[in-house]
Amino acid sequence: MDMEDQLKKYNYNTPYRFHMPGHKGKNIFSPNEEILLYGNDITEIDGLDNLHDPKGVIKDMLDSIANTYGVRRSFMSTNGSTTSLHAAILGLTNPKDEIIISRDCHKAVYNAMILGDLNPIYLPVSRNKNTGLIYSGNLEEFETTIKHTDAKVVVITYPSYFGICCNIEEIVRVVHKYKKIIIVDEAHGGHLKFSGLLPISAEEAGADVIIQSAHKTLPALTQTSMLHINSNLDTSRIESYLSILMTTSPSYLLMLSLEKSVRFMSDNGKIRLEENLHTVEKLAKEYTRAGKIFKGRDYFLEHGVYEFDSSKLLFRLAEAGIVALYGKKLLRNRYNIEMEMADTEYINGFMTVSDDLEDLRFLFQSVDDIIRSESSDTIIEADTYANMTLTPEVSMNIRSAFYAKKTVLPLNSANQQIAGVYIIPYPPGIPLICPGERISEKWIDLINTLNQKGIEILGLENGNIKVIKDNQ
């Protein structure tokens, strides 16, 4: 089966999407007009400007986006937020610099350290014993970490993949107190500013640089990303890196998609988001079995989380004695619902302005039906992410490890070796071990445990791992 056939099959069989991208396969801009097709796939011709030197319609689009988000300047990437993050980090640091990053950052942040030959100072993350999820934001530890370093740039993630939000206003205040710059990877937060029912956005909190993946939470096509400048930074090097890293043939379909998505959110985002948020509250009460394991904002606030993005639809199936990975498969195979992710405890769905009452009702009804037919008294261990908050010993600069010669060993024979690759459990997609970090028995045991639970481990190939060659 070729890709076209597979895509046709998916679109035919899976009408209910609770995963990225945020448009959910729907053209909510112009339902009767196919605007994002071949006719609009063009190159830089007269009247249509150049993303690498915008002076016309693209400049107008970026100015409009900046006005919508209330920031000084906005840039866009058609290479996704990976390029935006790389450009921001490389544009604000110099080789050999230290950089302060939260350990729960996306792999793209770590790759920026390889590109820029940077050395990390890690901000600790914690696991909430009640929710079982990882979060960052211990303000006392945060301030202690950053005040004793000359590093000038701090990078954090807000909100998390699961919707957990730290006290971003206080974090920004502390960063600025020590005269540092804060970059916020707000890949999952491009929608926040459009409703008062959602957490404050990073741009409203005063962060200096904000990166957003429009395709995650807005109805935009995959690879659309925004980079906002929210303070009086010199952006010349950031702009240079955007030009270096981004394709010289940016897609006009992606640019058009972003323009229409931001405009749609400006005109309709508040109404559509809040209608859906209220609908979710009602459905959680109506479908009592699903509602009992549905974890919304009240649940997280009661259990020590500072704030929560209620557009994340989290069902803790483990509480019904159902392994969430199995529940996700049931939703797909029985009900034609595709969720964003599942681990052993939670299934996670993304709600956007593209969803409607029928979509949301069918999701709750289906989860309710699964619990009715599949629930048991079996105890599902609530420790998927236990020990994933620790940081291994850094034995080699990450860039040096990337370029070093490597050899392949069975994971179980890799004790005290230096990792030559990332080891990333997915979900949640946070590096457990980075190139240059030492592997101990503790990490080998943890990786094997996660593997046994059905968590995919990126970086392992048939139980083998690449390590630095000739490591003593």
Side-chain angles (χ1 to χ4, degrees):
M1 182 178 291
D2 60 23
M3 184 180 292
E4 181 181 6
D5 291 336
Q6 193 65 37
L7 285 169
K8 285 180 178 178
K9 178 182 177 182
Y10 178 76
N11 278 287
Y12 178 78
N13 291 331
T14 316
Y16 299 98
R17 302 185 186 184
F18 288 93
H19 60 81
M20 297 181 278
H23 56 70
K24 307 298 184 75
K26 305 173 185 178
N27 180 358
I28 66 172
F29 310 127
S30 310
N32 299 316
E33 179 185 359
E34 295 293 343
I35 59 167
L36 298 175
L37 291 177
Y38 284 97
N40 291 321
D41 187 20
I42 59 168
T43 189
E44 293 85 352
I45 59 176
D46 286 348
L48 283 165
D49 210 356
N50 186 326
L51 182 58
H52 288 266
D53 185 24
K55 297 176 181 176
V57 291
I58 295 177
K59 181 181 184 301
D60 292 342
M61 176 189 72
L62 295 174
D63 288 344
S64 177
I65 290 173
N67 182 64
T68 297
Y69 280 91
V71 295
R72 184 169 71 87
R73 293 190 68 182
S74 291
F75 302 92
M76 82 160 294
S77 163
T78 59
N79 288 32
S81 285
T82 291
T83 290
S84 297
L85 279 165
H86 289 174
I89 292 169
L90 297 175
L92 293 171
T93 59
N94 295 311
K96 307 298 183 184
D97 276 359
E98 290 184 324
I99 183 170
I100 303 165
I101 76 166
S102 180
R103 186 68 190 192
D104 63 347
C105 280
H106 188 269
K107 180 182 176 182
V109 175
Y110 295 84
N111 283 340
M113 294 195 294
I114 294 174
L115 293 172
D117 196 10
L118 303 172
N119 296 298
I121 298 172
Y122 289 118
L123 295 167
V125 295
S126 303
R127 174 179 171 268
N128 186 297
K129 292 182 180 180
N130 296 304
T131 68
L133 298 177
I134 291 173
Y135 68 100
S136 58
N138 183 307
L139 292 171
E140 185 176 341
E141 290 183 354
F142 179 84
E143 184 164 4
T144 298
T145 300
I146 72 170
K147 73 179 180 180
H148 295 302
T149 173
D150 292 330
K152 60 186 178 182
V153 174
V154 179
V155 185
I156 68 166
T157 301
Y158 173 94
S160 78
Y161 185 60
F162 292 93
I164 292 175
C165 298
C166 58
N167 186 347
I168 186 67
E169 291 177 283
E170 185 62 16
I171 283 176
V172 169
R173 186 194 68 77
V174 170
V175 170
H176 289 164
K177 173 182 174 182
Y178 293 99
K179 310 299 181 186
K180 301 183 190 300
I181 298 167
I182 183 166
I183 300 172
V184 177
D185 178 2
E186 199 178 42
H188 289 275
H191 61 304
L192 294 180
K193 80 166 305 294
F194 296 102
S195 172
L197 300 181
L198 297 173
I200 188 172
S201 68
E203 57 272 20
E204 291 171 312
D208 299 295
V209 182
I210 305 99
I211 286 92
Q212 298 168 334
S213 294
H215 69 271
K216 286 182 168 65
T217 61
L218 274 57
L221 292 177
T222 300
Q223 289 185 213
T224 49
S225 170
M226 296 175 285
L227 189 163
H228 303 301
I229 304 296
N230 201 27
S231 60
N232 293 321
L233 295 175
D234 179 358
T235 63
S236 57
R237 284 184 57 200
I238 294 176
E239 294 177 66
S240 294
Y241 271 111
L242 279 171
S243 187
I244 290 169
L245 296 168
M246 193 162 53
T247 175
T248 56
S249 302
S251 167
Y252 276 79
L253 296 181
L254 296 184
M255 288 188 275
L256 175 61
S257 167
L258 178 63
E259 179 181 58
K260 294 186 76 67
S261 294
V262 175
R263 185 178 298 157
F264 183 89
M265 295 299 293
S266 180
D267 294 341
N268 307 288
K270 178 179 173 61
I271 294 174
R272 294 285 286 261
L273 281 170
E274 294 184 359
E275 282 181 350
N276 283 346
L277 291 169
H278 290 310
T279 294
V280 167
E281 285 186 4
K282 293 177 183 178
L283 292 172
K285 296 176 181 176
E286 181 178 345
Y287 293 93
T288 54
R289 285 181 288 257
K292 187 176 181 179
I293 65 161
F294 175 70
K295 305 305 178 185
R297 180 173 181 266
D298 289 345
Y299 168 81
F300 284 100
L301 267 58
E302 288 170 5
H303 290 91
V305 171
Y306 182 77
E307 190 52 275
F308 179 73
D309 173 11
S310 298
S311 71
K312 298 295 185 285
L313 306 179
L314 289 173
F315 296 90
R316 199 172 189 179
L317 283 175
E319 292 185 359
I322 303 170
V323 176
L325 286 161
Y326 175 63
K328 183 175 183 286
K329 289 180 181 178
L330 290 178
L331 285 171
R332 180 196 305 121
N333 296 332
R334 284 188 192 173
Y335 306 95
N336 296 326
I337 295 173
E338 189 69 46
M339 300 297 280
E340 171 64 22
M341 61 74 65
D343 53 29
T344 56
E345 296 177 58
Y346 290 92
I347 51 174
N348 185 2
F350 289 2
M351 182 272 287
T352 74
V353 294
S354 299
D355 294 305
D356 57 28
L357 174 61
E358 178 192 353
D359 301 324
L360 296 167
R361 178 176 292 281
F362 191 64
L363 173 62
F364 273 84
Q365 177 183 322
S366 301
V367 173
D368 202 77
D369 191 48
I370 286 174
I371 296 170
R372 179 188 57 78
S373 62
E374 303 288 339
S375 64
S376 72
D377 296 327
T378 302
I379 297 175
I380 307 297
E381 293 184 9
D383 62 350
T384 305
Y385 305 114
N387 299 320
M388 289 179 60
T389 60
L390 305 175
T391 302
E393 173 192 341
V394 178
S395 298
M396 182 183 291
N397 169 274
I398 190 170
R399 180 182 174 93
S400 299
F402 177 81
Y403 284 106
K405 291 183 179 179
K406 301 171 181 69
T407 189
V408 177
L409 290 177
L411 174 64
N412 291 331
S413 300
N415 184 35
Q416 295 308 309
Q417 298 292 319
I418 298 175
V421 293
Y422 294 104
I423 296 297
I424 304 178
Y426 183 81
I430 299 167
L432 186 65
I433 299 174
C434 296
E437 295 179 344
R438 192 169 295 277
I439 305 165
S440 67
E441 287 287 356
K442 173 178 62 179
W443 299 107
I444 293 171
D445 290 344
L446 176 56
I447 294 166
N448 284 328
T449 298
L450 292 171
N451 220 352
Q452 291 165 8
K453 291 182 177 182
I455 305 296
E456 181 181 8
I457 307 294
L458 306 180
L460 281 189
E461 296 182 12
N462 299 317
N464 297 322
I465 182 173
K466 289 181 180 179
V467 299
I468 304 303
K469 191 174 183 179
D470 300 324
N471 168 51
Q472 299 297 323

